[in-house]
């Protein structure tokens, strides 16, 4: 938001648009969208998580976001109602109680799933989003124009917007601790988790581990790795002891989410229609204004 | 030097001897053909099949200070009362509930398999910190809901309290008071009440706690919400059906009744009075077939063999036989196999028991 204002963007788009419009072939905006064989992921074992919320604290600390002291996270009152990740906390842990086993509520950490085929990357019209080689889906504040298409496109409704900020509001979401992993560190939440309910590793390996767990403990896990195939696969994978719908995971198909958004976008923006229409409109307005000015001058 | 070579040569043999008891293929654990001590080429922990620890709580350290993990400076080490936990573990799966992998020999440390570093190559098993926490928190959470770090750790920098108040006590767990009887209220229409004499099973029938309380979770006693523990008939029956036939529809009323049942009475149930001489005995002294208590013939020789004047001191019955009678065979006076009858008729026409006694009565 900071360097690129809406006005500037339109200006550049106008120039670029007029150039591109002359080109015969359709060219994609080119955000980084890498699907590496060795991309990393996290396996979340919800049967192990105890809902201590240390990950929430670690996340905020790692991202220099304001947080109450660590001890305050022992207070479980906040878990009485369902929460969603937002601009104040990029990850939250929700607790689900079930009548058939009240001693053991199930805790589920929620954050960006870092899709293999991210809808946000595809939806972002300025290429502010990118899927990096290590699997992270990150967002560049210097490119964002605040259109919030990403929020609409995301099948998990993860990106949030700092609506309360009048100046330079930002899109906020889990960045898979991109700056930490670049230095060879673990994501903050993975590092702090006392139960290692979060296992960080190559996505391929994680799926093997998850499969083996299901095979070894068929009573403990249902035979489903959430994120293995959902929306074409996600970097974050989940194991659970009961149906994922019961834990408020969205029931999604296996085809990548951008399939839908891209179809819409490419339909709407095909042959550069909107900019041309916009120019026609602006041109019309200018022409009317010019005429009016002339006639005013003439009257004088 | 020779000694060292001898030891080196014998070590694999000794190990093999220990391992051979396990009835396992070498390849179950070792990935290479000739494992050595230096390179055992161990594969993935085979877990349950391999646990061989039989230590008594006293043999292990009383208190263990768990301080191997120092990566974060948020909390201090945990002071773990090993004794208290191992003492209780007898009721819930023994040492193996924590030491879930241990080949024969010494206890191997957790860090042998569980890496102290979270960032590591093999992520198939949890790291050391998680391995500890999973064991501790899973139980503690279940029975008290406690998951706060400070329930086991002091915040970093604070002096930990090594002088546990209870260190001189045998166990920090309060003594378990076994109930004398328990009356279960069931849904069985043929008899709602099952009266269970706990003390009787314990003292007379000779059961150890762990014979029945084998896979008990801590929650069994510590649950905050007891109603959640209501067990299904199948589970309840599974505790009894090692000895009592719970499948046989005809035997339901042995335990189920609409009124509380009295204590087991051997004479009433079987016709053989054990109150006189056998009341202190454990059932298994006579009913030697393991598991089900089958009936015995009402004969003393079932257990005692055949008594003769040589191997039986008549004094124990409270009567010292006089010189004349001590020579006779038992059967001369006791005409039936329980030795209950005393008859003088074989020799005497004019005498009868108990008016006339074949010796001196003494206090038993």
């Amino acid at each position: 938001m900071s360097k690129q204002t809406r006005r500037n963007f339109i200006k550049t788009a106008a120039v670029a648009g007029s150039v591109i419009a002359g080109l015969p072939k359709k060219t994609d905006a080119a955000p980084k969208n890498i699907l590496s064989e060795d991309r990393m992921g996290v396996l979340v074992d919800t049967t192990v998580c105890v809902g201590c919320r240390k990950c929430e604290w670690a996340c905020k600390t790692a991202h220099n976001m304001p947080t109450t002291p660590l001890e305050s996270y022992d207070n479980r009152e906040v878990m009485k109602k369902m929460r969603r990740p937002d601009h104040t906390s990029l990850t939250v842990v929700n607790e689900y109680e079930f009548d058939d086993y009240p001693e053991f509520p199930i805790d589920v950490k929620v954050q960006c799933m870092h899709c293999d085929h991210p809808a946000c990357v595809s939806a972002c019209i300025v290429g502010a989003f990118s899927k990096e080689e290590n699997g992270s889906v990150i967002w560049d504040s210097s490119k964002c124009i605040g259109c919030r298409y990403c929020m609409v496109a995301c099948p998990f409704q993860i990106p949030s917007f700092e609506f309360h900020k009048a100046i330079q509001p930002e899109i906020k979401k889990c960045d898979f601790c991109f700056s930490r992993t670049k230095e060879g560190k673990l994501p903050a939440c993975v590092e702090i988790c006392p139960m290692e309910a979060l296992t960080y590793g190559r996505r391929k390996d994680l799926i093997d581990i998850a499969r083996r767990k299901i095979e070894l403990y068929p009573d403990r896990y249902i035979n489903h790795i959430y994120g293995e195939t959902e929306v074409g696969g996600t970097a974050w994978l989940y194991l659970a002891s009961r149906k994922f719908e019961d834990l408020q995971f969205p029931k999604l198909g296996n085809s990548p989410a951008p399939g839908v958004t891209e179809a819409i976008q490419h339909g709407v923006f095909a042959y550069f229609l909107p900019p041309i229409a916009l120019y026609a409109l602006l041109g019309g307005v200018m022409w009317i204004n010019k005429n009016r000015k002339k006639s005013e001058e003439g009257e004088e | 030097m020779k000694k060292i070579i001898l030891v080196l040569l014998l070590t694999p043999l000794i190990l093999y001897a220990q391992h051979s008891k396990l009835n396992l293929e070498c390849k179950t654990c070792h990935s290479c053909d000739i494992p050595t001590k230096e390179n055992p080429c161990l594969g993935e922990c085979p877990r349950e099949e391999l646990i061989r620890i039989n230590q008594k709580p006293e043999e292990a350290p009383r208190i263990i200070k768990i301080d191997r993990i120092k990566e974060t400076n948020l909390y201090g080490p945990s002071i773990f009362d090993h004794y208290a936990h191992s003492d209780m573990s007898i009721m819930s799966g023994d040492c193996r509930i924590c030491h879930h992998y241990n080949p024969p020999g010494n206890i191997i440390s957790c860090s042998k398999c569980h890496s102290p570093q979270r960032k590591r190559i093999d992520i198939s098993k949890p790291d050391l910190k998680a391995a500890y926490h999973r064991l501790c928190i899973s139980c503690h959470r279940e029975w008290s809901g406690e998951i706060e770090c400070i329930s086991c750790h002091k915040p970093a920098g604070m002096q930990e309290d090594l002088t546990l108040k209870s260190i001189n006590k045998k166990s920090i767990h309060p003594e378990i008071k076994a109930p004398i009887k328990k009356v279960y209220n069931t849904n069985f229409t043929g008899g709602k009440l099952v009266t269970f004499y706990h003390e009787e099973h314990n003292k007379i029938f000779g059961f150890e706690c762990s014979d029945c309380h084998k896979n008990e979770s801590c929650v069994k006693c510590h649950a905050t919400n007891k109603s959640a523990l209501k067990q299904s008939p199948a589970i309840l029956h599974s505790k009894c059906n090692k000895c009592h036939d719970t499948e046989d529809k005809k035997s339901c009323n042995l335990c189920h009744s609409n009124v509380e049942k009295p204590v087991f009475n051997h004479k009433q149930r079987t016709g053989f009075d054990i109150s006189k001489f056998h009341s202190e005995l454990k059932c298994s002294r006579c009913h030697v077939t393991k598991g089900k208590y089958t009936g015995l013939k009402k004969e003393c020789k079932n257990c005692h063999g055949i008594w003769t004047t040589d191997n039986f001191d008549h004094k124990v019955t409270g009567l010292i036989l006089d010189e004349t009678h001590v020579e006779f065979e038992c059967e001369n006076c006791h005409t039936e196999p329980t030795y209950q009858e005393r008859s003088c008729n074989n020799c005497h026409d004019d005498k009868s028991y108990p008016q006339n006694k074949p010796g001196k009565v003494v206090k038993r």
Side-chain angles (χ1 to χ4, degrees):
Chain A
M1 270 306 273
S2 52
K3 283 169 200 156
Q4 193 163 20
T5 60
R6 202 171 298 225
R7 181 181 298 257
N8 276 337
F9 166 69
I10 293 169
K11 271 188 199 161
T12 23
V15 176
S18 46
V19 174
I20 293 165
L23 296 173
K25 219 169 72 184
K26 199 165 73 185
T27 319
D28 290 325
K32 223 194 218 175
N33 200 349
I34 308 160
L35 204 56
S36 157
E37 272 287 287
D38 292 330
R39 62 191 183 276
M40 304 301 275
V42 169
L43 176 64
V44 186
D45 189 336
T46 59
T47 68
V48 169
C49 178
V50 293
C52 69
R53 294 170 56 228
K54 296 279 178 292
C55 49
E56 291 183 21
W57 178 85
C59 177
K60 286 182 189 177
T61 311
H63 290 89
N64 298 319
M65 290 160 79
T67 168
T68 49
L70 183 60
E71 301 84 68
S72 66
Y73 284 75
D74 286 342
N75 177 10
R76 295 178 81 82
E77 283 298 306
V78 285
M79 297 181 98
K80 290 217 166 111
K81 62 172 198 267
M82 291 299 125
R83 297 175 300 150
R84 293 285 308 164
D86 60 17
H87 60 275
T88 59
S89 55
L90 309 182
T91 182
V92 293
V93 182
N94 283 324
E95 188 161 83
Y96 301 90
E97 263 185 44
F98 295 96
D99 291 339
D100 50 350
Y101 202 174
E103 308 301 311
F104 251 110
I106 298 173
D107 296 285
V108 181
K109 180 184 183 296
V110 190
Q111 74 298 307
C112 170
M113 299 287 282
H114 298 273
C115 304
D116 284 348
H117 305 280
C120 52
V121 173
S122 148
C124 184
I125 51 172
V126 290
F129 273 96
S130 60
K131 171 88 175 168
E132 297 292 323
E133 192 167 359
N134 72 354
S136 328
V137 175
I138 55 171
W139 166 84
D140 182 353
S141 64
S142 67
K143 286 185 185 163
C144 179
I145 53 162
C147 71
R148 307 188 293 279
Y149 278 15
C150 50
M151 295 173 69
V152 184
C154 177
F156 301 98
Q157 291 153 40
I158 289 298
S160 66
F161 188 67
E162 294 178 315
F163 283 109
H164 64 287
K165 275 195 188 171
I167 303 157
Q168 293 183 4
E170 292 195 345
I171 288 284
K172 289 278 184 188
K173 74 163 205 71
C174 161
D175 61 355
F176 212 168
C177 280
F178 189 66
S179 54
R180 284 174 61 93
T181 50
K182 223 166 38 185
E183 294 168 15
K185 288 192 206 159
L186 289 167
C189 52
V190 174
E191 188 183 77
I192 203 165
C193 180
M195 305 288 275
E196 209 178 8
L198 314 171
T199 312
Y200 180 75
R202 284 202 320 164
R203 186 177 182 270
K204 263 198 284 184
D205 298 342
L206 293 175
I207 289 175
D208 289 344
I209 290 168
R211 286 232 180 84
R212 179 141 176 77
K213 278 188 174 192
I214 293 172
E215 185 191 328
L216 280 173
Y217 309 104
D219 296 340
R220 186 179 180 132
Y221 302 105
I222 58 157
N223 189 9
H224 184 176
I225 308 167
Y226 191 94
E228 186 187 3
T229 55
E230 273 77 8
V231 289
T234 58
W236 281 62
L237 305 158
Y238 284 78
L239 282 174
S241 57
R242 56 171 71 228
K243 284 209 306 280
F244 284 98
E245 289 93 273
D246 294 354
L247 305 170
Q248 291 189 3
F249 280 79
K251 200 172 166 65
L252 298 165
N254 295 341
S255 48
V260 184
T261 46
E262 272 172 17
I264 296 168
Q265 286 218 346
H266 293 177
V268 172
F269 290 100
Y271 310 111
F272 233 74
L273 274 178
I276 292 168
L278 184 72
Y279 276 106
L281 185 75
L282 288 175
V285 171
M286 272 169 77
W287 186 72
I288 290 165
N289 275 347
K290 212 174 161 186
N291 276 354
R292 193 186 289 160
K293 243 181 186 175
K294 253 186 197 165
S295 59
E296 274 172 12
E297 270 168 18
E299 270 171 33
E300 273 171 25
Chain B
M1 190 62 196
K2 267 186 182 170
K3 265 188 184 169
I4 298 172
I5 293 171
L6 192 72
V7 169
L8 277 176
L9 279 173
L10 280 176
T11 321
L13 270 179
I14 296 165
L15 279 174
Y16 181 74
Q18 285 176 340
H19 280 63
S20 64
K21 287 179 203 152
L22 298 174
N23 193 20
L24 279 171
E25 296 288 323
C26 308
K27 293 269 173 171
T28 309
C29 308
H30 304 280
S31 51
C32 52
D33 286 330
I34 306 160
T36 59
K37 208 168 179 191
E38 288 70 38
N39 178 26
C41 58
L42 287 169
E44 240 177 273
C45 303
R47 292 190 158 248
E48 281 79 12
E49 307 95 75
L50 265 189
I51 305 150
R52 292 292 182 280
I53 334 172
N54 282 310
Q55 275 195 346
K56 290 198 175 69
E58 305 83 53
E59 290 168 337
R62 171 71 216 253
I63 300 280
I64 296 172
K65 183 175 171 185
I66 301 169
D67 57 357
R68 280 220 46 187
I69 306 140
K70 295 186 176 102
E71 65 195 54
T72 50
N73 302 318
L74 297 171
Y75 295 96
S78 169
I79 311 299
F80 176 68
D81 189 331
H82 185 274
Y83 185 93
H85 287 83
S86 56
D87 191 33
M88 290 312 297
S89 75
I90 296 165
M91 292 221 201
S92 58
D94 266 322
C95 313
R96 69 187 63 192
I97 53 170
C98 296
H99 298 277
H100 59 87
Y101 165 75
N102 214 92
N106 293 331
I107 304 274
I108 59 167
S109 82
C110 309
S111 58
K112 191 111 189 168
C113 298
H114 298 282
S115 151
Q117 265 83 44
R118 179 146 299 179
K119 200 170 162 53
R120 59 194 188 274
I121 294 162
D122 179 13
I123 47 171
S124 62
K125 26 184 190 289
D127 72 347
L128 188 61
K129 181 166 142 187
Y132 279 132
H133 281 147
R134 287 187 189 187
L135 286 175
C136 303
I137 302 177
S138 304
C139 275
H140 279 255
R141 177 197 196 195
E142 201 175 1
W143 61 267
S144 65
E146 255 175 36
I147 57 149
E148 293 80 24
C149 307
I150 45 165
S151 43
C152 298
H153 298 274
K154 287 253 153 103
M158 261 174 89
Q159 190 62 41
E160 70 267 3
D161 190 11
L162 269 171
T163 57
L164 278 189
K165 278 177 205 130
S166 52
I167 199 143
N168 294 323
K169 273 204 261 172
K170 191 168 172 286
S171 167
I172 59 159
H173 196 281
E175 197 190 336
I176 300 166
K177 286 209 182 82
I180 292 171
K181 75 171 175 189
K182 277 197 90 167
V183 182
Y184 291 92
N185 206 338
T186 68
N187 292 330
F188 182 58
T189 43
K192 285 206 179 307
L193 300 182
V194 174
T195 322
F196 174 71
Y197 286 89
H198 189 277
E199 197 180 36
E200 184 178 68
H201 281 76
N202 189 205
K203 286 196 176 145
I204 302 172
F205 303 162
F207 288 107
E208 295 291 331
C209 306
S210 54
D211 287 339
C212 304
H213 301 280
K214 213 173 251 160
N215 291 313
E216 224 78 273
S217 73
C218 313
V219 183
K220 178 84 199 264
C221 300
H222 293 283
T224 35
N225 177 12
K226 296 268 184 209
S227 65
L229 295 170
K230 227 168 180 293
Q231 285 172 324
S232 67
I235 292 174
L236 286 167
H237 278 157
S238 72
K239 306 242 165 188
C240 310
N241 67 13
K242 271 172 238 140
C243 304
H244 301 280
D245 192 347
T246 54
E247 294 298 311
D248 182 13
K249 293 271 182 293
K250 274 177 253 163
S251 61
C252 299
N253 61 4
L254 280 181
C255 303
H256 286 271
S257 162
N258 283 320
V259 287
E260 275 187 38
K261 287 214 164 196
V263 183
F264 175 70
N265 186 321
H266 203 277
K267 192 181 174 185
Q268 258 177 22
R269 184 78 76 81
T270 68
F272 186 82
D273 188 7
I274 57 162
S275 61
K276 224 170 182 179
F277 299 109
H278 300 91
S279 59
E280 297 293 309
L281 287 183
K282 289 188 173 168
C283 310
S284 55
R285 277 294 295 276
C286 306
H287 301 276
V288 283
T289 6
K290 271 213 160 159
K292 299 225 173 345
Y293 286 125
T294 44
L296 297 168
K297 280 187 195 158
K298 288 168 200 149
E299 290 177 12
C300 302
K301 69 173 180 203
N302 276 335
C303 308
H304 293 285
I306 296 162
W307 274 322
T308 62
T309 44
D310 294 328
N311 67 13
F312 187 76
D313 181 6
H314 206 278
K315 192 181 164 187
V316 298
T317 66
L319 185 109
I320 302 174
L321 292 171
D322 58 30
E323 276 176 25
T324 350
H325 287 95
V326 84
E327 299 293 325
F328 292 131
E329 293 298 318
C330 311
E331 288 77 21
N332 289 10
C333 307
H334 302 292
T335 51
E336 45 73 59
T338 56
Y339 302 90
Q340 291 294 308
E341 209 163 292
R342 297 98 169 164
S343 158
C344 310
N345 300 352
N346 272 351
C347 310
H348 308 279
D349 288 334
D350 52 340
K351 289 193 172 147
S352 69
Y353 190 87
Q355 284 81 24
N356 308 98
K357 293 193 172 71
K360 202 171 92 186
V361 179
V362 287
K363 247 193 174 174
R364 258 204 308 139

